[in-house]
């Protein structure tokens, strides 16, 4: 059966047209089936990078983890989450770093950075927490909104530690101790909340006092440095003078002790000698008296230049003999002999 439509010269065969349409639809179905199968195959294959692991959820339930490399999963049924377990992650607090071409700029966050210290002073504290994921399952599914929770935990621990210390400790000498304390306490919180995170390091940035009080704070620091300088100079002078004075004191004490020992020994010797003389004197008083007199004259007369012997029996003590160059010992013996009645003057 042939009909003319639109004034055309060729008759339209409806049977042939239907067959052509069916053939075309069959080809499209095959192409669509091939495309669907290809997409399913492609969606079942995935690659995990060397620093990552893959976490598989099957129908919404945890089914396990996969190692780095080429892996397969069930299309549509399995869902994949990749977690960087071999890469160090970090979060910044009190500031945000922004990359501009090859340079980095930092934008402060006063809400996080402004803190109150234990001595009721204000400080601007900026820090970085570096961490790793050690348990992918806990990291993904044990804590809801883990990033926000982790930031809140870190800020709470830092405010607690800073609030227990003075502003000088926070800004100068106590930085290392604060970093270690925050790391330990933050790790305890992460373990308690089962976050699957291991804290590598807490790093304090360039902490400063707030801008309105910075000039006064710098003046205080300069005064403290001047005080430390004066104290060091005083200690140096002390170390120079005191040891010398102590040495002189020890020397004086040793000299006094030596002098005291010498005097004591001399006194003991004199006492022993006197006792010996006294014992001899008691046995022969006259002989001892004469000997002591002679010994005394022998010590005294040599010091006299001109020696005159006087006879005590002569009237008016007129000198009767003058000795020039006569030995003092001989004169002393003669005088002694005269006084004892045993010789002639």
């Amino acid at each position: 059966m042939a009909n003319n439509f639109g004034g055309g010269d060729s008759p339209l065969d409806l049977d042939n047209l239907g067959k052509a349409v069916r053939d075309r639809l069959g080809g499209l179905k095959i192409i669509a089936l091939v495309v669907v199968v290809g997409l399913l195959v492609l969606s079942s294959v995935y690659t995990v990078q060397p620093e990552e692991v893959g976490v598989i959820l099957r129908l919404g339930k945890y089914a396990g983890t996969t190692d780095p490399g080429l892996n397969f999963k069930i299309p549509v049924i399995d869902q994949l989450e990749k977690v960087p377990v071999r890469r160090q992650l970090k979060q910044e607090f009190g500031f945000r770093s922004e990359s501009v071409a090859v340079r980095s700029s930092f934008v402060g966050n006063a809400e996080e950075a402004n803190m109150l210290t234990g001595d009721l002073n204000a400080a601007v504290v900026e820090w970085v927490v570096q961490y790793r994921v050690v348990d992918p399952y806990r990291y993904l599914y044990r804590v809801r909104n883990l990033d926000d929770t982790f930031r809140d935990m870190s800020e709470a621990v830092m405010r607690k530690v800073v609030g227990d210390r003075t502003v000088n400790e926070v800004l100068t000498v106590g930085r290392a101790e604060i970093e270690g304390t925050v790391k330990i306490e933050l790790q305890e919180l992460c373990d308690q909340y089962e976050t699957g995170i291991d804290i590598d390091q807490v790093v304090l940035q360039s902490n400063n006092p707030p801008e309105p009080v910075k000039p006064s704070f710098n003046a205080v620091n300069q005064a403290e440095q001047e005080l430390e300088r004066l104290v060091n100079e005083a200690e140096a002078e002390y170390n120079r003078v005191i040891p010398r004075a102590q040495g002189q004191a020890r020397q004086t004490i040793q000299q006094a002790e030596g002098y005291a020992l010498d005097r004591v020994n001399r006194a003991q010797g004199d006492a022993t000698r006197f006792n010996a003389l006294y014992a001899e004197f008691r046995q022969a008083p006259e002989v001892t008296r004469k000997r002591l007199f002679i010994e005394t004259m022998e010590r005294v007369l040599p010091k006299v230049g001109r020696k005159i012997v006087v006879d005590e029996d002569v009237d008016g003590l007129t000198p009767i003999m003058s000795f020039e160059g006569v030995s003092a010992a001989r004169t002393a013996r003669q005088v002694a002999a005269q006084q004892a009645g045993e010789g002639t003057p």
Side-chain angles (χ1 to χ4, degrees), residues 163-176:
D164 292 336
R165 285 156 180 80
T166 64
V167 67
N168 287 332
E169 292 176 327
V170 174
L171 302 183
T172 55
V173 297
R175 294 168 58 90

Side-chain angles (χ1 to χ4, degrees), residues 194-246:
E194 299 182 356
T195 60
I197 290 176
D198 184 44
I199 306 298
D200 283 344
Q201 192 176 12
V202 177
V203 181
L204 288 176
Q205 301 300 307
S206 56
N207 300 333
N208 295 298
E211 289 296 332
V213 300
K214 184 177 291 186
S216 299
F217 187 84
N218 293 335
V220 172
N221 283 338
Q222 292 178 358
E224 291 179 348
Q225 293 173 2
E226 181 68 15
L227 174 62
E228 185 176 358
R229 184 184 67 82
L230 294 176
V231 170
N232 292 335
E233 291 179 355
E235 290 179 350
E237 184 68 14
Y238 174 88
N239 294 331
R240 185 182 67 84
V241 173
I242 296 302
R244 183 174 63 182
Q246 290 176 345

Side-chain angles (χ1 to χ4, degrees), residues 147-166:
D147 287 343
D148 294 338
T149 303
F150 182 74
R151 295 191 66 86
D152 293 340
M153 292 163 54
S154 178
E155 185 176 350
V157 172
M158 182 61 73
R159 289 187 182 278
K160 172 182 175 296
V161 174
V162 169
D164 292 336
R165 285 156 180 80
T166 64

